[in-house]
Amino acid sequence: GSAKVVQSQDGRWLYALGDGFAPAAAVSVWERRGGVLTRVGDATADGAGRFAAYFEQTPGAIDALLVAPAGADPSVDARTLHWP
């Protein structure tokens, strides 16, 4: 699948969109802030393989965003999508 993550300038909210995933696939959205990798939240694809999820959090600079299969370690799983 493919995904896009839109974030506010201050990092307070994220909106993740995905397409081309297996129906009912579970994914986790991750962020890296100051070198620390943290799971922001989870989403599940619909019957057409699409997902959309909105997350609010403490504002702060986000260094990287990742979308990985739920339960996977995004730092080593080859299926992980990441920016940058």
Side-chain angles (χ1 to χ4, degrees):
S2 60
K4 299 277 186 198
V5 180
V6 179
Q7 67 179 23
S8 64
Q9 286 185 332
D10 66 358
R12 175 148 170 43
W13 57 261
L14 303 172
Y15 189 61
L17 303 164
D19 189 23
F21 289 82
V27 299
S28 295
V29 177
W30 296 77
E31 70 178 7
R32 183 172 287 119
R33 290 185 188 207
V36 177
L37 190 61
T38 304
R39 186 173 57 82
V40 176
D42 302 310
T44 302
D46 63 15
R50 296 179 297 237
F51 72 84
Y54 175 79
F55 307 100
E56 288 192 9
Q57 58 188 6
T58 304
I62 298 172
D63 303 321
L65 292 163
L66 303 90
V67 175
D73 179 346
S75 61
V76 297
D77 193 298
R79 300 168 293 174
T80 300
L81 305 171
H82 51 89
W83 304 269

